[in-house]
Amino acid sequence: MTDEAAQPAQPAHARMHSVSPETQDIVDLVLDYSRRRILATDTPLDHAASPSELRRLAGTTIGEEGLGSRRALAVFEHVLAPACITTDHPQYLSFIPSAPSKAAIAFDLVVSASALYGGSWMEGAGAVHAENEVLAWLAAEFGLPEGAGGVFVQGGTIGNLSALVAARDDARSRREAAGLASRPEGGWVVVCSAEAHSSVASAARVMDVDVIPVTADEGGVLRPDGVRAALEEHGERVFAVVATGGSTNFGVVDDIAGIAELKRDFEFWLHVDGAYGLTAMLSPLGRPHFGGVEGADSVIVDPHKWLFAPYDVCALIYRDPDTGRQAHTQHAEYLDVLTDQAHYDPSDYSIQLTRRPRGLPLWFSLATYGAAAYREAVTHSLALARQIADEIRRRPGLRLVREPQLSVVVFERDGWEREDYDRWSDRLLEEQRAFVVPSSHAGRPNTRFAIVNPLTTFEQLVAILDSMG
Ligand SMILES: *Cc1c(COP(=O)(O)O)cnc(C)c1O
């Protein structure tokens, strides 16, 4: 503690909140670290460590007396942070990477510093206004009608769940209005591709509804004929159809236009899960895959995936936000002062109440750089995926598992078993050259590049292919 004797006496418990030399020191330390990390160009990929190793290196950090900020930050910087993979590294190509823009990362500090509450207009009008401008901009990009809107939630899993809860609520209300039992005989079902993201099944479990998986075609695309058959078979039990706008494994987009057309013959809520892929609509290279999105009742897209925002954020957009509000508004005596007003309260549109305005880093970044910079960055990844796919096609011994539509490229090495991929992947990370993990399709092992970072280059990807021998 600095200069304790010179301080006016203050109660010990106020130390954490008062502005003092100690506080200034803490803030300087943390901001200095943040500045270094944001501006560094050589942050290594790093890798996980074992629990025992971390226990040994970090020691006991929580006790009745604090360590002080210097020691605590040193533990973070030298022990904990190096045991976390650098997800915004250009050679992080697994799962779906993260590639937050510098403006978005920096502004995330501002959101924290300002103690903003994003749940209600009364408390966070300015923040909510900016978030809503971003949601309206996204909705227009996706071809949704004016008035479409929603809320930024934690991630795609919560976004899908919230959208499906709204869908069921909508179906239930229509049944009740028609004088029917609120629940159809046999219970509710949601129809989706057998290749849909696991979060759809997870949402269904939470909601206690059944999933009807429909087999996708050879290329992984969910086609309307299969959906039609499911709608005919399950009739009024179907409250929603989920189309995937860019599957996580392959970046494949379902036939959204064909599925949307089925609304002429059947009544269902169309939800487009575009957590990873919907961002591709910003680019002329991606947009042609997404006909029909304009017919969706709800969509999600994760800015922490391909819209260059830090973790964790999902944009959940309803065609008619009222449907979301009907389903999600929480009622309680202490909330009446909010719910009695006609203001736009983001908490009314998803299953969460308290929220930070997690859309603000994206807002600041978009406002700073402009939408054109986003389009270019997305186009870069789409073009790079095509270029490296050409290279893979050209190389003897390598084979594309599927033709890439967006920025995920899945490929196999002739003769390799799972162990070969494992050994190769471990070595790449050990040598801190790349983070590329094995995957599989139809029981066969493969590997994949998921490209969202504008700093990823063709040469880096070629070097990874070379390392496969
Ligand atoms: C990543 C992803 C999700 C889940 O999103 P989280 O933000 O990880 O919860 C859902 N659907 C698709 C298609 C995804 O790619």
Side-chain angles (χ1 to χ4, degrees):
M1 237 186 297
T2 45
D3 221 6
E4 207 169 71
Q7 289 304 299
Q10 69 170 344
H13 64 261
R15 178 182 152 213
M16 295 190 294
H17 295 81
S18 63
V19 176
S20 64
E22 181 194 21
T23 293
Q24 283 165 9
D25 205 36
I26 293 170
V27 172
D28 285 347
L29 264 179
V30 169
L31 291 185
D32 282 350
Y33 174 84
S34 302
R35 180 191 301 273
R36 272 186 282 127
R37 173 60 178 87
I38 296 170
L39 298 179
T41 54
D42 58 353
T43 308
L45 267 164
D46 293 321
H47 54 78
S50 70
S52 61
E53 198 177 345
L54 289 175
R55 254 194 313 274
R56 183 174 61 78
L57 294 173
T60 299
T61 56
I62 311 296
E64 284 304 313
E65 299 300 320
L67 298 178
S69 58
R70 257 166 223 286
R71 278 183 61 200
L73 188 66
V75 170
F76 176 76
E77 180 168 358
H78 302 299
V79 179
L80 306 178
C84 299
I85 295 222
T86 301
T87 61
D88 57 349
H89 193 288
Q91 277 121 297
Y92 178 122
L93 299 156
S94 295
F95 313 113
I96 302 291
S98 155
S101 73
K102 297 303 180 192
I105 297 170
F107 202 75
D108 208 32
L109 300 177
V110 174
V111 176
S112 294
S114 312
L116 299 171
Y117 182 77
S120 73
W121 188 267
M122 179 187 266
E123 290 150 288
V128 174
H129 172 80
E131 286 190 304
N132 284 353
E133 188 182 350
V134 178
L135 291 169
W137 175 76
L138 286 171
E141 288 293 321
F142 303 151
L144 293 170
E146 201 155 326
V151 57
F152 287 100
V153 296
Q154 174 268 329
T157 300
I158 301 296
N160 282 339
L161 174 59
S162 297
L164 290 175
V165 165
R168 180 178 59 183
D169 192 75
D170 189 60
R172 192 188 270 153
S173 307
R174 272 188 282 104
R175 286 181 65 89
E176 285 168 358
L180 299 166
S182 58
R183 187 170 169 278
E185 185 106 21
W188 295 110
V189 304
V190 52
V191 172
C192 64
S193 168
E195 300 198 17
H197 190 267
S198 50
S199 56
V200 175
S202 163
R205 275 195 304 277
V206 172
M207 295 168 69
D208 194 20
V209 300
D210 290 325
V211 177
I212 304 297
V214 175
T215 308
D217 73 7
E218 282 280 277
V221 178
L222 180 64
R223 297 287 174 191
D225 44 355
V227 176
R228 174 182 287 277
L231 288 164
E232 278 165 355
E233 183 180 346
H234 299 283
E236 60 169 17
R237 293 182 62 203
V238 181
F239 70 93
V241 175
V242 178
T244 306
S247 62
T248 321
N249 263 353
F250 282 97
V252 167
V253 183
D254 288 341
D255 182 351
I256 301 170
I259 296 167
E261 258 180 48
L262 295 171
K263 287 180 137 217
R264 289 198 199 139
D265 300 334
F266 302 90
E267 192 151 50
F268 64 90
W269 176 293
L270 175 59
H271 174 63
V272 174
D273 176 3
Y276 148 67
L278 208 51
T279 295
M281 286 188 82
L282 296 183
S283 162
L285 295 186
R287 199 167 177 91
H289 294 293
F290 290 90
V293 172
E294 68 281 359
D297 294 289
S298 57
V299 305
I300 63 155
V301 62
D302 276 0
H304 64 221
K305 284 179 172 165
W306 202 3
L307 273 171
F308 318 120
Y311 298 124
D312 40 16
V313 59
C314 164
L316 161 61
I317 302 175
Y318 300 97
R319 171 181 217 83
D320 172 6
D322 248 8
T323 53
R325 197 167 50 78
Q326 293 296 337
H328 291 294
T329 302
Q330 294 188 26
H331 297 279
E333 284 170 352
Y334 87 103
L335 295 173
D336 283 349
V337 63
L338 297 175
T339 40
D340 287 351
Q341 299 196 18
H343 290 148
Y344 195 96
D345 295 328
S347 294
D348 289 347
Y349 299 89
S350 80
I351 59 167
Q352 64 189 15
L353 184 64
T354 294
R355 64 181 294 273
R356 72 197 257 110
R358 49 178 22 95
L360 282 187
L362 172 58
W363 164 77
F364 181 72
S365 183
L366 270 168
T368 296
Y369 302 121
Y374 275 68
R375 295 184 207 287
E376 281 165 30
V378 173
T379 298
H380 170 271
S381 294
L382 288 164
L384 182 54
R386 291 178 186 188
Q387 200 185 356
I388 200 65
D390 287 343
E391 179 67 22
I392 289 165
R393 217 179 280 113
R394 228 177 36 75
R395 287 199 177 201
L398 295 182
R399 192 186 16 256
L400 290 171
V401 177
R402 276 175 178 164
E403 285 301 316
Q405 286 186 355
L406 303 181
S407 70
V408 179
V409 183
V410 186
F411 58 101
E412 297 177 354
R413 175 86 175 78
D414 280 346
W416 273 22
E417 302 296 333
R418 179 57 190 251
E419 302 80 60
D420 300 299
Y421 288 98
D422 283 336
R423 228 177 296 126
W424 164 77
S425 169
D426 289 348
R427 187 163 49 81
L428 281 178
L429 188 60
E430 233 162 70
E431 295 171 0
Q432 293 284 286
R433 290 168 60 192
F435 183 55
V436 185
V437 298
S439 183
S440 70
H441 177 63
R444 287 161 62 97
N446 60 41
T447 192
R448 58 195 269 291
F449 293 150
I451 305 165
V452 301
N453 193 322
L455 298 181
T456 304
T457 66
F458 181 64
E459 290 69 31
Q460 290 164 355
L461 300 181
V462 165
I464 296 170
L465 297 184
D466 289 343
S467 73
M468 299 179 97

